[in-house]
Amino acid sequence: MSIEKKFFGKLSDGREVTAFTMKAECGVSVTVMDLGATMVSLNVPDKNGELKDIVCGYDSPEEYIKNDGYTGATVGRYANRIDKGHFTLDGKDYEISKNEDGKRTLHGGFCGFDKKIWRSEAGQCGCGADRIKFYYTSEDGEEGFPGNVDVTVVYRLSADGELAIRYLAEADKMTPMALTNHSYFNLDGYEKQDISRQLLTINANRFMGIDDESISTEFFDVQDTPFDFRKEKQIGKALFTNYEHVMIPGGIDHSFDIDGTGGKMLWKHDIPLVKSVTMRSKETGIVMDIYTDAPAMQVYSGNHMGGVKYKGGVEAKKQGAICFEPGYFPNSPNRTDVPSCIFGPDRPYSSTTVYKFSVK
Ligand code: G6D
């Protein structure tokens, strides 16, 4: 195991950005940076033992600020949308940033966690795995959210190539919270910019519909629909249909109800996780299993990708990669039919997502 720390670049406002690369004996390596506690690259051996970088990213930190898309970033204070930028908590009304079309809050507001430079600390876990800890304090009133929140995000890479991301947060007032990672995956290698032939399994019996303003509506069963990924199938089988739920956002951009039907694991002996998603590339043989304790998985098929150049000058293409954002359902602060996203002094935030890689 090894951790390399390096200067990644400077933002236009002069802030310096640092990157850390963790390498496992099995070949898996991950580079993360303190801007947005962001995953910049994730190299995984393919069936021939050749490393493939399976996440999109940029060559400079400024491109992460300039380009929307939350590429690889830790998203918060509340990942996903909050309708009308409003919620009521303990009888008090809160108006939060309406950063999407001036109508609703998306991914934490105008300047969410993805655009902050986090404090960082590299080191090893007791069990010998490498880990990078990122810390950020979100102040009371930031983007309109109540309470001071101390956030810790830990990226942990074990010798056998298992990548874990742990999200921990303590708030001094009740506040909505939902933290996630917004990486764009392509198991053929990010430079291929086409996911349609890659195979996907989503262990969910239902998903939440959205209206034409991306606001959540109601739950729908996946049975007999293109969103039934309970058995592995090509992503394109859902994308290239005139299914009404595909037509609205122009692809997949929906939150699936992770119900444990895909199997469970006890991570580090005491953290129960469920297998939520499996993605597989026939070309590279790379298989990625995602386990999480989050109740919802936002699946976004990169419908708005394009017009930018990724690492090494790779042109971004529409639906060139796919995001799996474990977290809470859209508009949860205003819904009573979904798990509560309200945390505070009596309910600290804790969530774990584990990415396991293999070849087939
Ligand atoms: C679009 O609707 C999608 C979001 O789900 C995604 O996170 C964002 O693009 C990057 O707004």
Side-chain angles (χ1 to χ4, degrees):
M1 302 297 288
S2 68
I3 300 180
E4 179 200 352
K5 177 178 179 178
K6 70 174 184 177
F7 171 70
F8 185 54
K10 206 181 259 191
L11 296 174
S12 55
D13 62 9
R15 290 183 295 169
E16 297 193 350
V17 175
T18 301
F20 302 84
T21 299
M22 298 187 279
K23 288 182 182 162
E25 277 88 351
C26 68
V28 173
S29 71
V30 59
T31 298
V32 294
M33 68 170 172
D34 55 7
L35 174 63
T38 295
M39 185 146 59
V40 172
S41 60
L42 176 55
N43 288 282
V44 175
D46 70 5
K47 59 191 173 189
N48 303 317
E50 286 171 32
L51 288 177
K52 295 287 181 190
D53 185 354
I54 62 170
V55 295
C56 300
Y58 298 104
D59 283 324
S60 77
E62 187 58 30
E63 289 169 280
Y64 285 89
I65 297 284
K66 203 171 55 174
N67 301 320
D68 62 10
Y70 306 87
T71 306
T74 294
V75 177
R77 192 182 290 198
Y78 183 88
N80 222 307
R81 287 175 169 86
I82 298 178
D83 188 8
K84 300 188 178 64
H86 172 274
F87 59 85
T88 302
L89 201 48
D90 286 343
K92 184 176 177 195
D93 285 332
Y94 290 91
E95 296 298 326
I96 53 177
S97 299
K98 297 179 181 64
N99 63 307
E100 190 174 48
D101 306 336
K103 294 180 180 171
R104 68 195 74 86
T105 310
L106 172 64
H107 291 340
F110 292 106
C111 189
F113 291 7
D114 60 294
K115 296 186 178 54
K116 309 292 185 183
I117 291 189
W118 296 51
R119 303 184 308 280
S120 58
E121 177 201 303
Q124 270 77 34
C125 303
C127 56
D130 284 343
R131 58 125 178 88
I132 309 293
K133 283 188 176 180
F134 290 111
Y135 305 96
Y136 174 67
T137 297
S138 176
E139 297 195 348
D140 185 23
E142 190 173 280
E143 302 291 335
F145 287 97
N148 297 293
V149 184
D150 290 323
V151 188
T152 304
V153 173
V154 186
Y155 284 87
R156 177 188 181 277
L157 183 66
S158 63
D160 64 355
E162 176 193 87
L163 173 65
I165 307 181
R166 297 210 70 205
Y167 306 88
L168 305 165
E170 300 205 355
D172 61 6
K173 284 183 194 169
M174 300 300 280
T175 174
M177 264 195 277
L179 304 174
T180 197
N181 178 271
H182 204 299
S183 289
Y184 289 69
F185 295 97
N186 185 319
L187 300 191
D188 287 347
Y190 82 91
E191 69 282 359
K192 293 296 175 64
Q193 289 297 301
D194 178 358
I195 52 170
S196 61
R197 289 183 307 282
Q198 291 171 54
L199 298 157
L200 180 61
T201 306
I202 304 175
N203 298 311
N205 290 311
R206 63 180 191 162
F207 67 94
M208 188 171 280
I210 54 173
D211 65 18
D212 52 11
E213 296 215 339
S214 303
I215 289 301
S216 59
T217 54
E218 60 191 292
F219 282 107
F220 292 87
D221 286 347
V222 300
Q223 184 71 37
D224 303 326
T225 79
F227 278 8
D228 188 350
F229 281 98
R230 292 173 297 188
K231 288 197 177 4
E232 180 183 68
K233 71 180 181 190
Q234 286 185 340
I235 298 170
K237 292 266 191 264
L239 294 182
F240 308 139
T241 68
N242 57 6
Y243 181 44
E244 59 172 318
H245 291 286
V246 167
M247 301 306 283
I248 291 175
I252 307 169
D253 193 4
H254 298 78
S255 204
F256 288 76
D257 184 1
I258 301 305
D259 51 20
T261 49
K264 302 175 191 292
M265 75 181 284
L266 206 49
W267 187 69
K268 285 179 73 60
H269 314 303
D270 63 351
I271 298 181
L273 305 178
V274 299
K275 187 188 279 189
S276 57
V277 162
T278 296
M279 186 174 176
R280 177 164 76 93
S281 160
K282 283 185 174 173
E283 180 172 323
T284 61
I286 293 173
V287 182
M288 174 172 70
D289 290 313
I290 303 179
Y291 294 79
T292 187
D293 54 9
M297 179 66 79
Q298 181 80 17
V299 179
Y300 170 54
S301 56
N303 312 316
H304 300 284
M305 288 173 69
V308 295
K309 286 194 175 178
Y310 290 130
K311 295 168 280 192
V314 172
E315 288 283 350
K317 290 198 179 112
K318 176 176 174 165
Q319 295 171 345
I322 187 166
C323 303
F324 303 112
E325 306 158 42
Y328 285 79
F329 287 99
N331 204 29
S332 289
N334 295 306
R335 296 185 73 119
T336 54
D337 59 343
V338 294
S340 170
C341 67
I342 305 301
F343 296 87
D346 301 331
R347 190 189 183 208
Y349 187 99
S350 167
S351 183
T352 302
T353 299
V354 171
Y355 304 81
K356 294 174 85 72
F357 302 101
S358 54
V359 289
K360 184 175 182 180

